[in-house]
Amino acid sequence: MTLYENLLVFAAILQSLTLLRLVRRRDAGQRVYTLVVLAELLLATVAMVEGDRFLGLCATCLCGLTVVLPWLLERGARQVFALGQPRWAVRMTGLRALLMPGAGLGRQQQILAGFSLLDRKGPAAALGHFRGLLAEAEDPAELAMIHEQIVAMLLYDLRWGEAVAHYESQFQPGYAALRPALALGMLKALGELGRMRDAATLLRALEEGPLGQEPGAAELVGQARLTFLAHAGATTTVDAALAGERARELGLSPANAALLQATAAAFAGDEDRARTILQALPTRLRGRDERALAAARALQERLPREPTERSAELDEQVLRAALGLREQLAARAGRAAPRAGGVLMTSLLIAGMAGSFLVALWQGLAGVGLLRVGAFTPELWRAGSWGRLVTAPFVHADLLGLLLDAYSIWLAGHVLERILGRARMGLVAIVGAAAGLWAAGRHEPGPALMIGGGNAMAVAVLVATLWTLMPGRTPGVAPTVRRSLVVTLLLLLGAQLLSCVPGDAALRSTPLSLGVAAFVGSLLAIALPPALPRLVSRGLDLLLVAALCFVGVGAYRVGQEDPIGFALVHREPRPAERGAIVALPQSFERVGAAGERRHALLSVYQGWIDAQALRGGALVQIMVVEGVGSSGSSALFRVDPGLLRELTIRSDEGLDPAAREIVAGASGSWSTYTLQRNGEAVARVIERRLAESGPTVLLLAAPPLAFDQAPTLYARVVADAVLAE
């Protein structure tokens, strides 16, 4: 497909997914925007059905303005807000609201405006803004969001009593356990007010709730335990937990770690140690630790203070929190580094696929041309092109196949890489896909069949993730989350299996290649437990580095090869037909009768057809035509006289010079021209008459650019045709 066609299909897919998400949300405030997206999807559908380029460009541009750009603005607003620039976040959200008519983003922009006021004018202005929004809000969910922001502003301003009072007047006691930032703030506020029993209840709700069961929330739970222990005056436990690199492992900056130590000393009654730590705290400040400095000043002003009153119940709660924190730190010390922070390997695999596709699109490569960027065929592999085992998984012939493989790896990789680590994620993908292609290369009877490796890589990752989600291997995953993930991954696996269905479209996988990829993925996923000792993890990291080096060397080797030249050298003469013998590559398949195969641009006639070109959407066929035609006409019209009513002949000045030289050097007369339908060129034809009254060898390439995928090969096929003896 051309760049325009790919963009139109991509726009239609994005519009469909956006519409599905909007319908599932059933948000009454977004009805107008839902209708806008539906209208754009209908416009894109009409453009594809009717072949109207103007409507297609309109649909693509509208998708970019109302779907893609708002999505980018949303991500950008989150990033700049996290970097402490709420004013820019407000501006980006305002532009997003302008591009999404009827999406109900006005209230979200007003909430962000409150944070902008906090940045510019302080907590008092932000509180006034949010309290003003309460008078206008009616939706319960919106009211809860505003009340939550009011509590957050009070906590930010260190007004502990007011924050707790407002929270308890609006929310259930365990509400904060579902809000990470709010939970930490409320724990500190309750501790500052001496309400340690309520703080212990909130901590237990956090540990036993959904956040406490998520591996990615381990840092939050650790910080919550430390906050509780600090306000309980457990100095020994707090100091031990923050020794060395442990503070960084729990996500704490040096200043925040020092503040917790000072808090523990203050609540233990050790005023001198608390003052010493607080005086040294400014030397530990980093770029965004201004709130730690404000909290340190507030704590210092309240010194000396009464130690926390101890009781048997509080001692039991402190012991429980200390044991939980100790187990958490011990587990981290004996295992590899936490993996919840990113999906680097998953992102690299998808970037490789997208990059390869864009290179092929930029170079105009399709069908047989994909061999130049690393597509896999058993014929080339058996001839020693082993690099295609690792390059083929990144080669795609169409946008839909790329999106399916990328989405499968993206969704499964987020689970697999976060739980098992990037080393096993990379090994499952690379080794699984290579093993599947190796098996197909050894046992596939069709030597010129281009086999898709992206499907094998996606299947390996999907199957490995399904094994990882077994309850016995990941008991910490909530059942509802596990069930949702498994159902989605099984649906994607079923979609991947459809790539084994025989057909002419795009690249096809074989059951053997997918089966071997699934077996290797299963083996790598279940051979070792999810949590590994550090030494074993380092060994897997080295194996991943070796695999990546293998991919690099393989890609270099493939870049040095000439697959078109290989096909040219390894042609085989086919049985004589109508008095002519043609030497063809193995990718050409026999067509026994007209109408046996189908193509959108032209009919397929008796002769031979290039199956590799067909998988790229092009039609390249070789025919031998008997009889003598008139000058200026086409031998194709003798095969199908009905074409005279729909096609016209035009001179062809764009033939590759090397191909022209090859055909011109052959004996007999020859000609080249294009066939046009309604003023648009639909095919390029090269025909060569072997003798004055002998047969004519005709090569037809539709569309005309299909010939440019392998011009010297196709020209040599025509030039080397000979009369049968």
Side-chain angles (χ1 to χ4, degrees):
M1 293 192 291
T2 64
L3 177 61
Y4 157 75
E5 292 169 331
N6 279 298
L7 288 176
L8 181 58
V9 171
F10 189 50
I13 293 173
L14 287 180
Q15 290 161 347
S16 301
L17 293 175
T18 304
L19 183 63
L20 179 62
R21 177 172 55 84
L22 291 170
V23 171
R24 290 180 62 182
R25 285 184 175 179
R26 298 180 181 178
D27 189 346
Q30 294 190 331
R31 288 176 180 171
V32 176
Y33 181 63
T34 303
L35 293 176
V36 170
V37 176
L38 176 60
E40 293 177 7
L41 178 59
L42 293 176
L43 184 65
T45 303
V46 171
M48 287 188 286
V49 172
E50 299 294 332
D52 193 315
R53 185 175 289 266
F54 174 74
L55 292 180
L57 290 174
C58 291
T60 303
C61 293
L62 288 173
C63 177
L65 287 174
T66 62
V67 177
V68 178
L69 186 55
W71 181 84
L72 294 175
L73 288 171
E74 180 186 12
R75 267 78 187 153
R78 291 180 181 179
Q79 291 295 325
V80 297
F81 185 80
L83 293 173
Q85 298 292 333
R87 282 174 284 183
W88 282 103
V90 172
R91 294 171 184 172
M92 296 175 75
T93 304
L95 179 57
R96 178 169 173 255
L98 183 65
L99 294 173
M100 298 173 65
L105 297 178
R107 184 63 62 181
Q108 179 183 358
Q109 187 180 8
Q110 289 179 341
I111 291 176
L112 282 175
F115 290 99
S116 178
L117 284 173
L118 173 66
D119 182 56
R120 291 184 288 114
K121 299 183 179 181
L127 273 172
H129 175 80
F130 285 122
R131 284 168 175 161
L133 293 180
L134 284 177
E136 304 174 6
E138 298 179 357
D139 182 65
E142 186 178 339
L143 284 169
M145 183 184 301
I146 297 173
H147 282 299
E148 187 176 334
Q149 303 309 321
I150 291 175
V151 174
M153 292 301 103
L154 292 170
L155 291 171
Y156 183 89
D157 203 25
L158 308 181
R159 294 154 66 174
W160 312 120
E162 294 179 56
V164 171
H166 192 92
Y167 171 83
E168 292 178 337
S169 68
Q170 300 296 331
F171 302 108
Q172 295 295 327
Y175 178 84
L178 303 175
R179 300 290 191 271
L182 185 61
L184 288 175
M186 288 302 300
L187 276 171
K188 185 170 182 60
L190 292 170
E192 292 287 342
L193 296 176
R195 296 173 54 177
M196 297 307 297
R197 178 181 295 180
D198 294 330
T201 302
L202 177 57
L203 177 60
R204 178 170 294 185
L206 179 64
E207 292 174 329
E208 297 176 355
L211 287 174
Q213 306 302 317
E214 292 292 333
E219 289 184 358
L220 165 69
V221 175
Q223 292 177 26
R225 287 168 173 158
L226 274 172
T227 302
F228 174 79
L229 291 169
H231 287 87
T235 55
T236 303
T237 304
V238 171
D239 290 342
L242 296 176
E245 295 294 322
R246 290 180 175 180
R248 184 179 59 83
E249 292 179 359
L250 289 173
L252 292 169
S253 67
N256 284 312
L259 180 60
L260 283 172
Q261 290 177 310
T263 302
F267 279 82
D270 191 349
E271 178 186 351
D272 293 338
R273 184 169 186 267
R275 289 189 184 278
T276 301
I277 296 174
L278 291 174
Q279 289 172 0
L281 187 142
T283 62
R284 301 188 179 187
L285 291 177
R286 298 293 183 266
R288 302 195 61 204
D289 285 337
E290 65 276 0
R291 295 314 302 166
L293 183 59
R297 290 170 179 166
L299 178 61
Q300 193 166 12
E301 291 173 359
R302 294 196 301 272
L303 291 177
R305 65 175 301 156
E306 291 294 326
T308 300
E309 184 178 349
R310 307 304 293 261
S311 64
E313 182 181 3
L314 178 60
D315 288 341
E316 180 182 352
Q317 293 165 344
V318 168
L319 178 61
R320 180 178 175 275
L323 288 175
L325 184 61
R326 184 177 302 172
E327 291 176 2
Q328 179 181 347
L329 294 173
R332 296 172 70 92
R335 307 295 182 188
R339 302 166 184 125
V343 283
L344 176 62
M345 199 64 223
T346 301
S347 302
L348 287 177
L349 292 173
I350 296 174
M353 289 181 172
S356 175
F357 181 77
L358 291 175
V359 168
L361 195 64
W362 177 48
Q363 297 290 336
L365 300 177
V368 63
L370 294 177
L371 295 174
R372 298 185 184 276
V373 290
F376 178 89
T377 65
E379 178 186 25
L380 289 170
W381 176 75
R382 293 167 190 168
S385 183
W386 56 265
R388 297 179 186 274
L389 292 175
V390 291
T391 59
F394 300 97
V395 178
H396 291 80
D398 65 316
L399 182 62
L400 292 177
L402 170 65
L403 292 177
L404 176 61
D405 292 343
Y407 183 66
S408 299
I409 293 174
W410 177 255
L411 188 62
H414 268 70
V415 179
L416 188 64
E417 187 168 352
R418 289 175 186 272
I419 295 177
L420 299 186
R422 67 182 58 160
R424 270 191 281 183
M425 168 63 193
L427 291 173
V428 164
I430 296 172
V431 178
L437 290 171
W438 174 83
R442 284 184 61 88
H443 302 285
E444 172 58 43
L449 174 65
M450 281 200 292
I451 300 176
N455 309 100
M457 180 178 285
V459 166
V461 175
L462 287 169
V463 172
T465 306
L466 288 170
W467 280 112
T468 303
L469 287 173
M470 295 291 289
R473 297 185 64 80
T474 50
V477 179
T480 54
V481 175
R482 186 192 312 277
R483 191 180 308 114
S484 176
L485 283 172
V486 167
V487 170
T488 304
L489 295 179
L490 286 175
L491 290 174
L492 288 173
L493 184 60
Q496 292 290 349
L497 295 179
L498 294 177
S499 63
C500 296
V501 177
D504 295 328
L507 303 175
R508 186 168 69 86
S509 295
T510 65
L512 179 61
S513 67
L514 297 189
V516 171
F519 173 77
V520 172
S522 302
L523 186 64
L524 292 173
I526 65 179
L528 296 171
L532 298 174
R534 190 176 299 274
L535 183 62
V536 178
S537 296
R538 290 291 179 263
L540 289 176
D541 290 339
L542 292 176
L543 288 177
L544 176 61
V545 172
L548 292 175
C549 291
F550 186 79
V551 172
V553 174
Y556 175 78
R557 286 285 302 271
V558 169
Q560 304 302 308
E561 296 172 358
D562 181 11
I564 306 302
F566 176 86
L568 184 61
V569 173
H570 291 80
R571 290 178 297 152
E572 296 178 355
R574 302 301 172 92
E577 180 171 338
R578 296 188 178 93
I581 298 177
V582 184
L584 298 173
Q586 292 188 353
S587 61
F588 278 78
E589 298 178 357
R590 176 69 179 168
V591 178
E596 183 179 306
R597 307 284 283 268
R598 301 288 182 183
H599 194 271
L601 291 176
L602 286 172
S603 299
V604 180
Y605 303 99
Q606 182 180 0
W608 294 272
I609 188 172
D610 190 348
Q612 291 179 350
L614 198 61
R615 294 192 178 281
L619 174 64
V620 178
Q621 54 180 325
I622 296 289
M623 292 171 279
V624 179
V625 184
E626 294 180 316
V628 179
S630 59
S631 177
S633 182
S634 172
L636 184 63
F637 295 156
R638 303 204 298 272
V639 177
D640 187 355
L643 294 177
L644 283 167
R645 295 190 297 271
E646 59 175 298
L647 298 178
T648 57
I649 298 176
R650 294 290 183 269
S651 61
D652 183 12
E653 303 296 335
L655 186 66
D656 183 80
R660 183 182 297 273
E661 184 178 350
I662 290 173
V663 180
S667 60
S669 60
W670 70 282
S671 61
T672 176
Y673 49 87
T674 59
L675 297 175
Q676 293 186 344
R677 180 187 290 122
N678 298 326
E680 182 179 0
V682 296
R684 168 174 286 153
V685 178
I686 298 179
E687 59 179 61
R688 172 176 166 244
R689 189 182 305 169
L690 301 185
E692 286 298 325
S693 58
T696 299
V697 176
L698 182 145
L699 182 143
L700 182 146
L705 290 176
F707 182 85
D708 297 331
Q709 299 296 319
T712 55
L713 173 63
Y714 294 145
R716 183 58 65 185
V717 166
V718 176
D720 291 350
V722 296
L723 291 170
E725 297 181 359

